[in-house]
Amino acid sequence: MDRADLERLDRDCPLSPCRERFVLPDGVLYFDGNSLGALPRTAPSSIGELVEAEWGGGLIRSWLDAGWFHLARRAGDAIAPLIGASAGEVAVSDSTSVNIFKLAAALLRGGGRRKVLTESGNFPTDMYILEGLVDLLGGGRALVRAPPDEILDAIDEATALVVLSHVDYRTGAVLDMEGIAARCKALGVPAIWDLCHSAGAIPVELNRCGVDYAVGCTYKFLNGGPGAPAFAYVSRDAIGAFEPAVTGWFGHAEQFRFEDRYRPADSIAKCLVGSPPILSLRAVLDGVACFEGVDMAALAAKSRRLSDLFIALADERLARHGLELASPREAARRGSQVSFRHAHAYAIARALIANDLIPDFRDPDILRFGITPLYMRHVDVWDAVETIDAVMAGRAWEDFRTAEREAVT
Amino acid sequence: MDRADLERLDRDCPLSPCRERFVLPDGVLYFDGNSLGALPRTAPSSIGELVEAEWGGGLIRSWLDAGWFHLARRAGDAIAPLIGASAGEVAVSDSTSVNIFKLAAALLRGGGRRKVLTESGNFPTDMYILEGLVDLLGGGRALVRAPPDEILDAIDEATALVVLSHVDYRTGAVLDMEGIAARCKALGVPAIWDLCHSAGAIPVELNRCGVDYAVGCTYKFLNGGPGAPAFAYVSRDAIGAFEPAVTGWFGHAEQFRFEDRYRPADSIAKCLVGSPPILSLRAVLDGVACFEGVDMAALAAKSRRLSDLFIALADERLARHGLELASPREAARRGSQVSFRHAHAYAIARALIANDLIPDFRDPDILRFGITPLYMRHVDVWDAVETIDAVMAGRAWEDFRTAEREAVT
């Protein structure tokens, strides 16, 4: 197999035209769409129109006339089919961290169970939020961190809440959502799934798996733009009994009655709190619209093809440089990324960026390559491996060994 | 006094050139800058540049290269001088509601006091957030609502927390920040001030008044755009002992170490939680930049002049239509708005909007005219009173009596 074979694969790939939905800088190999998705081609004009016509011209009237009031739910409805949810089950507002807090606080209120369970390698903000919340609520609650292969056994009748990331941000390992959700249901344990690294990347079937609560990011695979607000999902089954704990006016049954007492909306709107950031929220619609007409199974298949290709080429050309695969080899157990371990991962990431290949570094030793099949080509994987091989062979990364450690994300 | 006199005042007003800092639609009398500030002239190009060059071209690198990581504090530092705070005491992120929750949750943790005090006419989301939080924390905590003139007496040694709006959203009445803050200090009661209707509108002197905690909106008088993230203020004196309860990765001492345990930053950054919405946050800088070189005392003086003019003209021409002044007559007790009561306030608001005069309706009977002295002219007040007079005299509002009640805001 050589580069020409991959060019042929790109030519024949039915998803290749999706790349035209994005604006990508020339000469850059972008493997960090799982930190910040690329710019949708429609975003500059739709944000420009929002700023100039809706804000500037419509002013306050645009909350109604331009539908700002409904954006949080409209964006949620656009995301729903990508995660196996139904219209009315998803709303977009606040950050992922705040959404975890909102759901977890509501689910931990009252009740006699005291164990809050998460995965030991979970994304830090998930753990931090739970740590703070458990401390705030007190009453003997404790946060327990179990390694991924012990999660299932750790869910028991003392468990008040489970919070798990569907895909591990470092390695890309996927948890068995269906199996864990079934055990939670059987024991009456609510579970919140963090879909930051799975929404828009791999098939997610919340409804089919019987998942009641989830949150996720819109600025990674969903291309919603930097810091775009996150989504919260509460299933149709669970929404009726769900009692919000962070109770703001956007979640009120009749927001503009300005009543003295809080009465939650009888829909997913009860998960909203304050005014959503309209500029950032509007871009989420552009980001999600890039999936229009895309079959998620075909997208996932392309993700696996690209990742498998990356791993095969890495075996051939990168292993000798000491890059050790950190992601599962088995495609079914892997999200849409390929990660490697190397003691000098940080310096290598810096060197690659200096050579126009953008990966992510994740402390302490992870070099992470995001696979975004909507806009990534087979040849990009080939070219990336070429660049890594050259940087490692030429030891170009050594120039960055003593570089001050900054966030690479 | 006639319109020509007011034209002369506008010509002579040293703040008149500030109007050029905004893009305002032709033929519209905008009296709702206290719900959504007008579009800063610089915003379309700076947001366009952010979207196309920083997001599209810089991609993930822009978190460092374009300073996205520092935007929350940079925007806070820009706001600080407008509210009598110092650099490093203010950060912009999340909604006002979430910021109230963040501060209140931290301040209510532990301690033996159980009374949470607010004003009975406080903005609903402030009350809702406290209601939800008190219920979440339990332990005998109770939310007490006192009318404005009883607040001072209601602050006692059983009080765990006071949350007050500096300016009443309906009437524009101003609370005595200095007196209340002094009483709180004397009794060791933490107080959170909601500055939504005072930041950028009237002089606010947090440091001088000894205020330790405040939040406020950036989309009203600060012109940050629809749903722009809000600010949180914690004084230099209080920040050291402040222990966050909503503990996300953006508030961590070393966010990109990805440590398992939360360690708060040793600065106002500890009030941050998740990724801030960069598009919306960036516009806050444009909004606040409109105050550049503006003396806040001169701005407040113009606000009073415009409001006094409005009230004088209303006495002369609108009282006969049954519009009853709801704002304090005494300028020193009034924020930057003039409100009236009328049983058909909603229909009147709709009729005025149909006649290109945009006020706000506030349930149940308040017609609210925001005074934004950065871009409002004396003749605008004259023209507004003309329009109201004509609409009331012609009973044009009766067409809207049965109109379905929607949010006017």
Side-chain angles (χ1 to χ4, degrees):
Chain A
M1 185 177 56
D2 60 14
R3 198 176 188 280
D5 294 324
L6 300 177
E7 279 176 349
R8 207 165 310 117
L9 277 178
D10 285 324
R11 228 170 13 242
D12 296 343
C13 174
L15 290 174
S16 285
C18 292
R19 185 174 166 87
E20 291 307 311
R21 299 178 180 183
F22 297 88
V23 181
L24 290 154
D26 287 335
V28 172
L29 290 168
Y30 193 53
F31 281 72
D32 208 4
N34 57 343
S35 267
L36 176 65
L39 174 66
R41 192 168 292 279
T42 57
S45 64
S46 67
I47 299 302
E49 162 99 6
L50 162 61
V51 170
E52 300 202 49
E54 298 180 13
W55 175 10
L59 290 160
I60 193 69
R61 295 169 293 195
S62 292
W63 276 101
L64 285 172
D65 299 348
W68 293 348
F69 271 123
H70 307 291
L71 265 185
R73 297 184 62 177
R74 202 174 136 208
D77 285 347
I79 291 168
L82 304 181
I83 54 175
S86 310
E89 292 185 320
V90 184
V92 179
S93 72
D94 304 313
S95 63
T96 304
S97 305
V98 168
N99 276 296
I100 293 172
F101 187 95
K102 277 153 55 172
L103 296 186
L107 297 170
L108 283 177
R109 185 176 35 204
R113 299 177 174 193
R114 291 293 171 255
K115 181 164 103 181
V116 178
L117 179 66
T118 191
E119 196 204 310
S120 44
N122 202 349
F123 190 75
T125 210
D126 299 50
M127 296 198 280
Y128 300 160
I129 287 288
L130 295 174
E131 196 184 336
L133 181 59
V134 158
D135 179 62
L136 178 69
L137 298 182
R141 291 177 182 83
L143 179 61
V144 174
R145 298 160 168 91
D149 54 348
E150 294 173 20
I151 287 287
L152 207 59
D153 289 338
I155 301 167
D156 56 24
E157 280 167 357
T159 309
L161 176 67
V162 174
V163 180
L164 296 171
S165 286
H166 189 198
V167 171
D168 185 284
Y169 77 104
R170 282 194 176 99
T171 65
V174 183
L175 284 183
D176 169 22
M177 179 182 280
E178 192 170 4
I180 294 171
R183 181 158 175 89
C184 286
K185 267 279 193 281
L187 293 170
V189 178
I192 301 169
W193 288 89
D194 178 339
L195 308 178
C196 283
H197 284 277
S198 46
I202 62 169
V204 182
E205 301 186 282
L206 296 182
N207 286 173
R208 195 187 60 74
C209 292
V211 168
D212 282 330
Y213 311 98
V215 301
C217 172
T218 66
Y219 53 71
K220 298 176 186 289
F221 293 99
L222 297 180
N223 318 301
F231 64 84
Y233 155 92
V234 180
S235 74
R236 210 170 275 176
D237 287 348
I239 194 71
F242 183 80
E243 287 183 44
V246 184
T247 48
W249 67 319
F250 268 72
H252 195 278
E254 293 187 88
Q255 178 179 3
F256 283 96
R257 289 284 169 187
F258 292 101
E259 296 173 4
D260 280 353
R261 297 295 194 279
Y262 182 76
R263 280 190 297 129
D266 63 355
S267 68
I268 190 70
K270 69 169 82 164
C271 290
L272 302 178
V273 181
S275 307
I278 298 297
L279 273 58
S280 290
L281 179 53
R282 182 63 187 75
V284 174
L285 288 181
D286 290 286
V288 177
C290 294
F291 288 86
E292 208 172 282
V294 171
D295 173 47
M296 288 305 286
L299 194 75
K302 184 176 175 190
S303 162
R304 287 176 184 193
R305 216 158 54 233
L306 293 169
S307 305
D308 285 342
L309 172 67
F310 203 141
I311 292 171
L313 292 173
D315 283 346
E316 216 177 284
R317 301 174 57 183
L318 304 181
R320 65 192 171 98
H321 299 303
L323 284 175
E324 180 198 338
L325 185 67
S327 296
R329 251 174 209 285
E330 194 191 330
R333 293 184 47 237
R334 195 175 58 223
S336 202
Q337 70 186 65
V338 177
S339 298
F340 300 94
R341 284 210 165 79
H342 192 288
H344 295 290
Y346 178 75
I348 295 167
R350 292 284 299 263
L352 295 178
I353 292 171
N355 282 277
D356 288 326
L357 164 58
I358 305 183
D360 226 339
F361 162 73
R362 281 295 173 257
D363 200 276
D365 60 355
I366 293 277
L367 202 56
R368 183 177 83 176
F369 296 87
I371 304 294
T372 48
L374 266 187
Y375 49 88
M376 197 173 272
R377 298 167 300 199
H378 295 78
V379 293
D380 294 334
V381 173
W382 178 274
D383 294 342
V385 172
E386 287 258 305
T387 300
I388 303 167
D389 193 10
V391 160
M392 298 305 292
R395 307 190 74 76
W397 59 269
E398 293 192 348
D399 297 345
F400 295 92
R401 272 179 85 164
T402 56
E404 199 196 335
R405 183 108 146 231
E406 289 174 312
V408 172
T409 203
Chain B
M1 186 176 54
D2 60 15
R3 197 175 188 281
D5 294 324
L6 300 177
E7 279 175 348
R8 207 166 310 118
L9 278 179
D10 284 324
R11 229 171 11 243
D12 297 344
C13 174
L15 290 173
S16 286
C18 292
R19 184 174 167 88
E20 292 307 310
R21 299 178 179 182
F22 297 87
V23 182
L24 290 154
D26 287 335
V28 172
L29 290 167
Y30 193 53
F31 280 73
D32 208 3
N34 57 343
S35 268
L36 176 65
L39 174 67
R41 192 168 293 280
T42 58
S45 63
S46 66
I47 299 302
E49 163 100 5
L50 162 61
V51 170
E52 301 203 48
E54 298 180 12
W55 176 9
L59 290 161
I60 194 68
R61 296 169 293 195
S62 292
W63 276 100
L64 285 171
D65 299 348
W68 293 348
F69 271 123
H70 307 292
L71 265 185
R73 297 185 62 177
R74 202 174 136 208
D77 285 347
I79 291 168
L82 304 183
I83 55 174
S86 310
E89 291 185 320
V90 184
V92 179
S93 73
D94 304 312
S95 63
T96 304
S97 305
V98 168
N99 276 297
I100 294 172
F101 187 96
K102 278 153 53 173
L103 296 186
L107 297 170
L108 283 176
R109 185 176 36 203
R113 299 178 174 192
R114 290 293 170 254
K115 180 164 104 181
V116 178
L117 179 66
T118 191
E119 196 204 311
S120 44
N122 202 350
F123 189 75
T125 210
D126 299 51
M127 296 198 279
Y128 300 160
I129 287 288
L130 296 175
E131 197 183 335
L133 182 58
V134 158
D135 179 62
L136 177 69
L137 298 182
R141 290 177 183 84
L143 179 61
V144 174
R145 297 160 169 91
D149 54 348
E150 294 173 20
I151 287 287
L152 208 57
D153 289 339
I155 301 166
D156 55 24
E157 280 167 357
T159 309
L161 176 67
V162 175
V163 180
L164 296 170
S165 286
H166 189 200
V167 171
D168 184 285
Y169 77 105
R170 282 193 175 101
T171 65
V174 183
L175 284 182
D176 169 22
M177 179 183 278
E178 192 170 5
I180 294 171
R183 182 158 174 88
C184 286
K185 267 280 191 280
L187 294 170
V189 178
I192 301 170
W193 287 89
D194 178 338
L195 308 178
C196 282
H197 284 277
S198 46
I202 64 168
V204 182
E205 302 186 281
L206 297 181
N207 285 173
R208 195 188 59 75
C209 291
V211 169
D212 282 330
Y213 310 100
V215 301
C217 172
T218 65
Y219 54 71
K220 298 177 186 289
F221 293 99
L222 297 180
N223 318 301
F231 63 85
Y233 155 92
V234 179
S235 74
R236 210 170 275 176
D237 287 348
I239 195 70
F242 183 81
E243 288 183 44
V246 184
T247 48
W249 67 320
F250 267 72
H252 195 278
E254 293 188 89
Q255 178 179 3
F256 282 96
R257 288 284 169 187
F258 293 100
E259 296 173 4
D260 280 353
R261 296 296 195 279
Y262 181 76
R263 280 191 298 129
D266 63 356
S267 67
I268 190 70
K270 68 169 82 163
C271 291
L272 301 179
V273 180
S275 307
I278 298 297
L279 273 58
S280 289
L281 179 53
R282 182 62 186 76
V284 174
L285 289 181
D286 290 286
V288 177
C290 293
F291 288 86
E292 208 172 283
V294 171
D295 173 48
M296 287 306 285
L299 194 75
K302 184 177 176 190
S303 162
R304 288 176 183 191
R305 217 159 52 233
L306 293 169
S307 305
D308 286 342
L309 172 66
F310 203 141
I311 292 172
L313 292 173
D315 284 346
E316 215 177 286
R317 300 174 58 184
L318 304 181
R320 66 192 171 98
H321 299 304
L323 284 174
E324 180 198 337
L325 185 68
S327 296
R329 251 173 209 285
E330 195 191 328
R333 293 185 46 237
R334 195 176 57 223
S336 203
Q337 70 186 65
V338 177
S339 298
F340 300 94
R341 283 210 164 77
H342 191 288
H344 295 290
Y346 178 74
I348 296 168
R350 292 284 299 264
L352 295 178
I353 291 170
N355 283 277
D356 289 326
L357 165 59
I358 305 184
D360 226 339
F361 162 72
R362 280 295 173 258
D363 200 275
D365 60 354
I366 293 277
L367 202 57
R368 185 177 82 176
F369 296 86
I371 304 294
T372 49
L374 267 187
Y375 49 87
M376 197 173 273
R377 297 166 300 200
H378 295 77
V379 292
D380 294 335
V381 173
W382 178 275
D383 294 342
V385 173
E386 287 258 305
T387 301
I388 303 168
D389 193 10
V391 160
M392 299 304 293
R395 305 190 75 75
W397 59 270
E398 293 192 348
D399 297 345
F400 295 92
R401 271 179 86 164
T402 56
E404 199 196 334
R405 183 106 147 233
E406 290 174 308
V408 172
T409 202

